[in-house]
Amino acid sequence: MSEPSTFEIVSDDGTGTVIEYRMTLANALQSWGALKKAGKLLKGIGSADIVGAENKIDKSKAILALVEALLENASSPEFTEIEKLIFNNTIVVENGDAKKLPTIQDRHFNANRSHIIPVLQKGIVFQFGGFFSGNGLSGIAGLAILATSGKN
């Protein structure tokens, strides 16, 4: 398992308090299942410009296209499942007090509304980025090149 992803955002209450978010990877098959269900949300991603130099997939472009496609469908049950997966694997540390996000999410996001989208964006990249690197990225690159070349 990879190291947790940690990032900080200043609270919305005007005090300058820094809130730390710690994300851990969800189970790989659980994440893959959520991503597969969300597949229909990604239909437009096929037309995204994600192939970079030397006909290789640009990981940054691919992840950005994924984030955009998912956020465009934020009200769907599939996206709600991804949101739940991200929130369930996130700890919030405020004033030295660490709590699992699901136990405080209503109160926390009511006080820090501007944090919802950055937490989801970083969560999507952290939870699903591994599927688009290494051998997974090579496989996607091969499919993208075949699809765009007309040789199937």
Side-chain angles (χ1 to χ4, degrees), residues 61-101:
K61 286 181 175 183
I63 291 173
L64 180 60
L66 172 66
V67 168
E68 288 174 352
L70 291 174
L71 287 177
E72 286 174 3
N73 294 284
S75 64
S76 70
E78 295 82 8
F79 186 82
T80 300
E81 184 175 343
I82 288 172
E83 182 180 276
K84 185 177 176 182
L85 182 131
I86 291 166
F87 290 168
N88 284 346
N89 290 282
T90 300
I91 294 173
V92 177
V93 182
E94 188 172 1
N95 298 319
D97 188 22
K99 294 196 171 158
K100 292 182 178 182
L101 181 55

Coordinates of all heavy atoms in Angstrom, one line a residue, residues 61-101:
K61 N -2.7 14.7 -17.9 CA -3.9 15.0 -18.8 C -5.0 14.0 -18.5 O -6.2 14.3 -18.5 CB -3.5 15.0 -20.2 CG -2.7 16.2 -20.7 CD -2.4 16.1 -22.1 CE -1.7 17.4 -22.7 NZ -1.5 17.2 -24.2
A62 N -4.6 12.7 -18.4 CA -5.6 11.7 -18.2 C -6.4 11.8 -16.9 O -7.6 11.7 -16.8 CB -5.0 10.3 -18.3
I63 N -5.6 12.1 -15.8 CA -6.3 12.3 -14.5 C -7.2 13.6 -14.5 O -8.3 13.6 -14.0 CB -5.2 12.3 -13.4 CG1 -4.6 10.9 -13.2 CG2 -5.8 12.8 -12.1 CD1 -3.5 10.8 -12.3
L64 N -6.7 14.6 -15.2 CA -7.5 15.9 -15.2 C -8.8 15.6 -16.0 O -9.9 16.0 -15.6 CB -6.7 17.0 -15.9 CG -7.5 18.3 -16.1 CD1 -7.9 18.9 -14.7 CD2 -6.6 19.3 -16.8
A65 N -8.7 14.9 -17.1 CA -9.9 14.5 -17.9 C -10.9 13.7 -17.0 O -12.1 13.8 -17.1 CB -9.5 13.8 -19.2
L66 N -10.3 12.7 -16.2 CA -11.1 11.9 -15.3 C -11.8 12.8 -14.3 O -13.0 12.6 -14.1 CB -10.2 10.9 -14.6 CG -10.9 10.0 -13.5 CD1 -12.0 9.1 -14.1 CD2 -9.8 9.2 -12.8
V67 N -11.1 13.7 -13.6 CA -11.7 14.6 -12.6 C -12.8 15.4 -13.2 O -13.9 15.5 -12.7 CB -10.6 15.5 -12.0 CG1 -11.2 16.6 -11.1 CG2 -9.6 14.6 -11.1
E68 N -12.6 16.0 -14.4 CA -13.6 16.8 -15.1 C -14.8 16.0 -15.4 O -16.0 16.5 -15.2 CB -13.0 17.4 -16.3 CG -12.0 18.5 -16.1 CD -11.3 19.1 -17.3 OE1 -11.5 18.5 -18.4 OE2 -10.6 20.0 -17.2
A69 N -14.6 14.8 -15.9 CA -15.8 14.0 -16.3 C -16.6 13.6 -15.1 O -17.8 13.6 -15.1 CB -15.3 12.7 -17.0
L70 N -15.9 13.3 -14.0 CA -16.7 12.9 -12.8 C -17.4 14.1 -12.1 O -18.5 13.9 -11.7 CB -15.7 12.2 -11.8 CG -15.2 10.9 -12.1 CD1 -14.1 10.4 -11.2 CD2 -16.3 9.8 -12.3
L71 N -16.8 15.2 -12.1 CA -17.4 16.4 -11.5 C -18.6 16.8 -12.4 O -19.6 17.4 -11.8 CB -16.4 17.5 -11.3 CG -15.4 17.3 -10.2 CD1 -14.4 18.5 -10.1 CD2 -16.1 17.1 -8.9
E72 N -18.6 16.6 -13.7 CA -19.7 17.0 -14.5 C -20.9 16.1 -14.2 O -22.1 16.4 -14.5 CB -19.4 16.8 -16.0 CG -18.5 17.9 -16.5 CD -18.0 17.6 -18.0 OE1 -18.4 16.6 -18.6 OE2 -17.2 18.4 -18.5
N73 N -20.7 15.0 -13.5 CA -21.8 14.0 -13.2 C -21.9 13.9 -11.7 O -22.3 12.8 -11.2 CB -21.5 12.7 -13.8 CG -21.5 12.7 -15.3 OD1 -22.5 12.8 -15.9 ND2 -20.3 12.8 -15.9
A74 N -21.6 14.9 -10.9 CA -21.6 14.9 -9.5 C -22.9 14.4 -8.8 O -22.8 14.0 -7.7 CB -21.1 16.2 -8.9
S75 N -24.0 14.5 -9.4 CA -25.3 14.2 -8.8 C -25.7 12.7 -9.0 O -26.7 12.3 -8.5 CB -26.4 15.1 -9.3 OG -26.6 14.9 -10.7
S76 N -24.9 12.0 -9.7 CA -25.2 10.6 -10.1 C -24.9 9.6 -8.9 O -24.1 9.9 -8.1 CB -24.4 10.1 -11.3 OG -23.1 10.0 -10.9
P77 N -25.6 8.5 -8.8 CA -25.3 7.5 -7.8 C -23.9 7.0 -7.9 O -23.3 6.7 -6.8 CB -26.3 6.4 -8.0 CG -27.4 7.0 -8.9 CD -26.8 8.1 -9.6
E78 N -23.4 6.9 -9.1 CA -22.0 6.4 -9.3 C -21.0 7.3 -8.6 O -20.0 6.9 -8.0 CB -21.7 6.2 -10.7 CG -22.5 5.1 -11.4 CD -23.9 5.6 -11.8 OE1 -24.2 6.8 -11.8 OE2 -24.7 4.7 -12.2
F79 N -21.2 8.6 -8.8 CA -20.3 9.6 -8.2 C -20.5 9.6 -6.7 O -19.5 9.7 -6.0 CB -20.5 11.0 -8.8 CG -19.5 12.0 -8.3 CD1 -18.2 12.0 -8.9 CD2 -19.7 12.8 -7.2 CE1 -17.3 12.9 -8.4 CE2 -18.7 13.6 -6.7 CZ -17.5 13.7 -7.3
T80 N -21.7 9.4 -6.2 CA -21.9 9.4 -4.8 C -21.1 8.2 -4.2 O -20.6 8.4 -3.1 CB -23.4 9.3 -4.5 OG1 -24.1 10.4 -5.0 CG2 -23.7 9.2 -3.0
E81 N -21.0 7.1 -4.9 CA -20.2 6.0 -4.4 C -18.8 6.4 -4.3 O -18.1 6.0 -3.4 CB -20.4 4.8 -5.3 CG -19.7 3.5 -4.8 CD -20.0 2.3 -5.6 OE1 -21.0 2.2 -6.3 OE2 -19.2 1.3 -5.4
I82 N -18.3 7.1 -5.3 CA -16.9 7.5 -5.3 C -16.6 8.5 -4.2 O -15.6 8.4 -3.4 CB -16.5 8.1 -6.7 CG1 -16.4 7.0 -7.7 CG2 -15.2 8.9 -6.6 CD1 -16.2 7.5 -9.1
E83 N -17.6 9.4 -4.0 CA -17.5 10.4 -2.9 C -17.4 9.7 -1.5 O -16.6 10.0 -0.7 CB -18.7 11.3 -2.9 CG -18.8 12.3 -1.9 CD -20.1 13.1 -2.1 OE1 -20.1 14.0 -3.0 OE2 -21.1 12.8 -1.4
K84 N -18.2 8.7 -1.3 CA -18.3 7.9 -0.1 C -16.9 7.2 0.1 O -16.4 7.2 1.2 CB -19.4 6.9 -0.1 CG -19.6 6.1 1.1 CD -20.8 5.2 1.1 CE -20.9 4.4 2.3 NZ -22.1 3.4 2.2
L85 N -16.4 6.6 -1.0 CA -15.1 5.9 -0.9 C -14.0 6.9 -0.4 O -13.2 6.5 0.4 CB -14.8 5.3 -2.3 CG -13.5 4.5 -2.3 CD1 -13.7 3.1 -3.0 CD2 -12.4 5.2 -3.1
I86 N -14.0 8.1 -1.0 CA -13.0 9.1 -0.6 C -13.2 9.5 0.8 O -12.2 9.5 1.6 CB -13.1 10.3 -1.6 CG1 -12.6 9.8 -3.0 CG2 -12.2 11.4 -1.1 CD1 -12.9 10.8 -4.1
F87 N -14.4 9.9 1.2 CA -14.6 10.4 2.5 C -14.4 9.3 3.6 O -13.8 9.6 4.7 CB -16.1 10.9 2.7 CG -16.4 12.1 2.0 CD1 -17.7 12.6 1.8 CD2 -15.4 12.9 1.4 CE1 -18.0 13.7 1.1 CE2 -15.6 14.1 0.7 CZ -16.9 14.5 0.6
N88 N -14.7 8.0 3.3 CA -14.5 6.9 4.2 C -13.0 6.6 4.5 O -12.6 6.0 5.4 CB -15.2 5.6 3.8 CG -16.7 5.7 4.0 OD1 -17.2 6.5 4.7 ND2 -17.4 4.7 3.3
N89 N -12.1 7.1 3.6 CA -10.7 6.9 3.7 C -9.9 8.1 4.0 O -8.8 8.3 3.6 CB -10.2 6.2 2.5 CG -10.7 4.7 2.4 OD1 -10.2 3.9 3.1 ND2 -11.8 4.5 1.6
T90 N -10.6 9.1 4.6 CA -10.0 10.4 4.9 C -10.2 10.7 6.4 O -11.2 10.5 7.0 CB -10.7 11.5 4.1 OG1 -10.5 11.2 2.7 CG2 -10.1 12.9 4.4
I91 N -9.1 11.2 7.0 CA -9.0 11.6 8.4 C -8.8 13.1 8.4 O -8.0 13.6 7.6 CB -7.9 10.9 9.2 CG1 -8.2 9.4 9.3 CG2 -7.7 11.6 10.6 CD1 -7.1 8.6 9.9
V92 N -9.6 13.8 9.2 CA -9.4 15.3 9.3 C -8.7 15.6 10.7 O -9.1 15.1 11.7 CB -10.8 16.0 9.3 CG1 -10.7 17.5 9.5 CG2 -11.6 15.6 8.0
V93 N -7.7 16.4 10.6 CA -7.0 16.9 11.8 C -7.2 18.4 12.0 O -6.7 19.1 11.1 CB -5.5 16.5 11.8 CG1 -4.8 16.9 13.1 CG2 -5.3 15.0 11.5
E94 N -7.9 18.7 13.0 CA -8.1 20.2 13.3 C -7.7 20.4 14.7 O -8.2 19.8 15.7 CB -9.6 20.5 13.0 CG -9.9 22.0 13.1 CD -11.3 22.3 12.7 OE1 -12.1 21.4 12.3 OE2 -11.6 23.5 12.7
N95 N -6.8 21.4 14.9 CA -6.3 21.7 16.3 C -5.8 20.5 17.0 O -6.0 20.3 18.2 CB -7.5 22.4 17.1 CG -7.9 23.7 16.5 OD1 -7.1 24.5 16.0 ND2 -9.2 23.9 16.5
G96 N -5.1 19.6 16.3 CA -4.5 18.5 16.8 C -5.4 17.3 17.1 O -5.0 16.2 17.5
D97 N -6.7 17.5 16.8 CA -7.7 16.4 17.0 C -8.0 15.7 15.7 O -8.6 16.3 14.8 CB -9.0 17.1 17.6 CG -10.0 16.1 18.1 OD1 -9.7 14.9 18.3 OD2 -11.2 16.5 18.1
A98 N -7.7 14.4 15.6 CA -7.9 13.7 14.4 C -9.2 12.9 14.5 O -9.4 12.2 15.5 CB -6.7 12.7 14.2
K99 N -10.0 13.0 13.5 CA -11.3 12.3 13.4 C -11.5 11.8 12.0 O -11.1 12.4 11.0 CB -12.4 13.2 13.8 CG -12.4 13.6 15.3 CD -13.7 14.2 15.7 CE -13.5 14.3 17.2 NZ -14.2 15.2 17.9
K100 N -12.1 10.6 11.9 CA -12.5 10.1 10.6 C -13.6 11.0 10.0 O -14.6 11.3 10.7 CB -13.1 8.6 10.7 CG -12.0 7.6 11.1 CD -12.6 6.2 11.2 CE -11.5 5.3 11.5 NZ -11.9 3.9 11.6
L101 N -13.4 11.4 8.8 CA -14.3 12.3 8.1 C -15.8 11.9 8.2 O -16.6 12.7 8.5 CB -13.9 12.6 6.7 CG -14.7 13.6 5.9 CD1 -14.8 14.9 6.6 CD2 -14.1 13.8 4.5

